[in-house]
Amino acid sequence: MMSGQIASRRKKDSALKLLFLAATSVGVLALILLLVTILIDGVSSLTPDLFTNYPSRRASSSGLKSALVGTVYMVLIMAPLSFLIGVGAAIFMEEYTNKGWITKLIQLNISTLAGVPSIVYGILGLTIFVRTMHLDRSLLSGALTMTLLVLPVIIVSAQEAIKAVPNTRRDASLALGATKWQTVQRAVLPSAFPGILTGVILAISRAIGETAPLVMIGALTYVAFLPNNLLDQFTVLPIQIYNWIAKPQTDFHDLAAAGIIVLLVMLLFLNMIAVTLRNKFQKNL
């Protein structure tokens, strides 16, 4: 009787594995087909003019200059803010707070916020930064909204990296007479830094590809100028790509495909930096 049940379970497991492999194969093939289609449509539009021209109503003279610069500016504002606040919060939660019910409640809320749809952060940014703080639909509002978006992810990943550091490092540092902060600074953070840095870069990569929060706060779909200060209006790559795809002309669709290729290259470059830095710091440790 038992052997029959075991055989039945093995058959079910085998069927589930085959189903999973089939679904994975279909997903991979669909992704490859999508990438090939984008490359075929967009390679012809990857010219120097694409990076030096502003958006235009004519596809022949339209480019990504304002969207590309807006994306870079937003990352330059968002990255240090999210790193300092997120890593600082993770250190405080893991090293300085008591593990009581209040801490557990805060931790539960942070973990929940990491899975909240991005459009919710757009509504939050619209309410706080655009309307309450009167920052209008500016580059600063967009960067602060995206900082809110990535903060839960950075905090959770940094906490996991700090938790992975053995307690023997802390005990040895404290036994040698180091203070709590010296222990965190010289014993904990060097060991946790590769994981923290990887989490930060991957979170920023996610923010670069987001569109919904910036649409909610009113980032423009057509910007033929560069922002001169933090309170100027702006646009980013995903919004410009969306604007081109929404147009009926085929030439704009080719430009959108070229914009997608540029965005993919940026994301792959950031992921490559994350892997390289993680390996480098792990070797140093």
Side-chain angles (χ1 to χ4, degrees):
M1 191 69 171
M2 289 294 294
S3 60
Q5 291 178 350
I6 293 173
S8 177
R9 287 179 182 176
R10 287 179 178 175
K11 288 181 180 179
K12 289 181 180 179
D13 292 340
S14 300
L16 288 174
K17 287 179 181 179
L18 289 174
L19 183 61
F20 175 75
L21 289 174
T24 305
S25 301
V26 171
V28 171
L29 289 174
L31 178 61
I32 292 174
L33 180 62
L34 178 62
L35 290 175
V36 169
T37 303
I38 290 172
L39 288 172
I40 293 173
D41 293 341
V43 166
S44 60
S45 299
L46 286 174
T47 61
D49 292 339
L50 181 70
F51 302 96
T52 58
N53 289 350
Y54 291 105
S56 172
R57 290 181 174 83
R58 296 191 303 272
S60 58
S61 58
S62 191
L64 283 171
K65 184 176 180 179
S66 57
L68 191 60
V69 172
T71 299
V72 173
Y73 282 175
M74 187 185 71
V75 171
L76 291 177
I77 299 169
M78 174 188 65
L81 283 175
S82 57
F83 179 83
L84 292 174
I85 298 173
V87 176
I91 292 172
F92 181 76
M93 293 283 292
E94 289 300 318
E95 299 293 334
Y96 288 95
T97 58
N98 297 321
K99 303 300 179 182
W101 68 270
I102 296 179
T103 304
K104 292 180 180 179
L105 180 62
I106 295 173
Q107 181 64 54
L108 177 62
N109 288 328
I110 293 174
S111 301
T112 303
L113 287 172
V116 169
S118 59
I119 189 69
V120 177
Y121 290 98
I123 297 172
L124 186 63
L126 177 65
T127 303
I128 296 176
F129 303 124
V130 176
R131 295 178 177 174
T132 304
M133 298 179 65
H134 302 291
L135 297 177
D136 298 327
R137 305 173 190 277
S138 62
L139 177 63
L140 183 58
S141 295
L144 292 176
T145 301
M146 301 311 287
T147 300
L148 290 181
L149 173 69
V150 301
L151 268 180
V153 179
I154 292 176
I155 292 173
V156 171
S157 61
Q159 282 185 286
E160 293 301 322
I162 292 171
K163 284 179 185 177
V165 178
N167 285 327
T168 52
R169 287 181 178 268
R170 299 177 177 86
D171 296 338
S173 177
L174 293 172
L176 291 173
T179 62
K180 182 69 173 178
W181 171 242
Q182 288 173 333
T183 299
V184 171
Q185 183 183 11
R186 299 176 184 177
V188 177
L189 284 182
S191 298
F193 194 69
I196 292 173
L197 193 60
T198 302
V200 171
I201 294 177
L202 293 179
I204 292 172
S205 299
R206 176 196 172 187
I208 290 175
E210 288 287 351
T211 307
L214 299 177
V215 171
M216 280 301 302
I217 68 167
L220 300 180
T221 57
Y222 181 83
V223 175
F225 57 87
L226 298 181
N228 294 319
N229 56 65
L230 296 179
L231 297 180
D232 276 354
Q233 293 181 321
F234 73 107
T235 190
V236 291
L237 281 174
I239 292 179
Q240 186 60 62
I241 292 169
Y242 169 78
N243 184 31
W244 282 338
I245 290 176
K247 293 181 179 296
Q249 295 91 339
T250 306
D251 291 341
F252 280 111
H253 295 173
D254 294 340
L255 285 173
I260 292 172
I261 294 173
V262 173
L263 186 60
L264 284 174
V265 170
M266 289 181 64
L267 295 177
L268 290 174
F269 180 70
L270 285 174
N271 287 318
M272 184 178 66
I273 291 176
V275 173
T276 303
L277 291 176
R278 182 182 62 192
N279 293 337
K280 178 182 177 180
F281 283 111
Q282 284 178 344
K283 288 179 180 179
N284 291 339
L285 287 174

